[in-house]
């Protein structure tokens, strides 16, 4: 089996997905993104894909080594995120090909439960109470929100007071 194509898909407002295709029709998906820098990460994915196309997708660790250690410069959030998304997609292909969940391939489960949160926004303070109520009624016990909303780079006293009020609502 060989990798034939690597694609990226921008998902507004700030996400990026990558898709790796093989000559046997097995497809893997990953999420390579640094929030606010999706276009930059997309370029890194495109450059790294040159190391993957034509190669065996099941050599996941070999590909990781090539992508992270094969160049003169290493690391940083952009490159690390691009590698992470491609790595996820390669593991997805491995799991599908071998008929096993990826967590089994990576050593098995490490916990029985994972706490989840609900996103409630926060840019519009008028919507926070309804959003918080909906999250709690759905059974979740934690939320993530944009308590700051839209504000100047150096918040005014009034803007900071509004942040405190939003956090108090939560």
């Amino acid at each position: 089996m060989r990798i034939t194509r690597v694609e990226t898909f921008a998902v507004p407002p700030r996400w990026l997905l990558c898709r790796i295709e093989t000559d046997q029709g097995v497809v893997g998906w990953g999420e390579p993104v640094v929030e606010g820098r999706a276009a930059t990460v997309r370029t890194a994915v495109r450059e790294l894909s040159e190391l993957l196309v034509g190669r065996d997708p099941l050599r996941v660790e070999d590909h990781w080594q090539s992508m992270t250690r094969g160049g003169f410069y290493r690391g940083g959030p952009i490159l690390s995120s691009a590698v992470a998304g491609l790595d996820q997609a390669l593991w997805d292909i491995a799991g599908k090909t071998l008929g096993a969940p990826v967590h089994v391939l990576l050593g098995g489960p490490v916990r029985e439960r994972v706490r989840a949160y609900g996103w409630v926004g926060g840019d519009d303070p008028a919507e926070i109470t309804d959003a918080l109520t909906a999250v709690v009624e759905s059974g979740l016990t934690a939320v993530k929100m944009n308590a700051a909303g839209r504000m100047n780079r150096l918040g005014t006293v009034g803007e900071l007071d509004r942040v405190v009020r939003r956090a108090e609502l939560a």
Side-chain angles (χ1 to χ4, degrees):
M1 177 167 41
R2 298 282 173 220
I3 296 170
T4 56
R5 186 172 170 180
V6 178
E7 292 181 280
T8 56
F9 301 89
V11 181
R14 61 186 162 271
W15 297 287
L16 184 68
L17 298 174
C18 69
R19 179 180 188 268
I20 297 178
E21 236 176 77
T22 70
D23 60 355
Q24 292 184 11
V26 183
V27 171
W29 288 89
E31 183 185 15
V33 71
V34 172
E35 199 167 309
R37 297 286 183 253
T40 309
V41 175
R42 181 179 237 175
T43 299
V45 168
R46 187 171 38 251
E47 290 177 358
L48 290 170
S49 70
E50 295 171 9
L51 300 172
L52 301 175
V53 173
R55 309 248 339 255
D56 179 352
L58 299 182
R59 296 182 57 110
V60 179
E61 290 299 319
D62 182 35
H63 296 313
W64 188 90
Q65 291 291 333
S66 295
M67 291 187 290
T68 60
R69 307 285 187 247
F72 185 78
Y73 296 103
R74 298 182 183 158
I78 301 299
L79 184 59
S80 296
S81 183
V83 169
L86 291 165
D87 192 54
Q88 291 164 17
L90 291 168
W91 280 110
D92 189 22
I93 290 170
K96 290 172 179 174
T97 301
L98 300 171
V102 172
H103 77 274
V104 170
L105 300 178
L106 296 174
V110 294
R111 59 183 58 89
E112 297 299 319
R113 299 170 11 142
V114 176
R115 188 174 187 202
Y117 66 82
W119 170 250
V120 296
D123 287 341
D124 182 357
E127 297 174 357
I128 291 177
T129 303
D130 290 340
L132 287 167
T133 300
V135 167
V136 170
E137 287 176 353
S138 76
L140 295 174
T141 60
V143 298
K144 180 178 178 182
M145 63 183 277
N146 184 4
R150 298 191 190 285
M151 57 189 285
N152 295 313
R153 288 178 65 99
L154 297 173
T156 65
V157 172
E159 288 172 328
L160 296 175
D161 286 342
R162 288 190 289 280
V163 171
V164 170
R165 280 197 295 269
R166 286 186 194 108
E168 287 173 343
L169 279 171

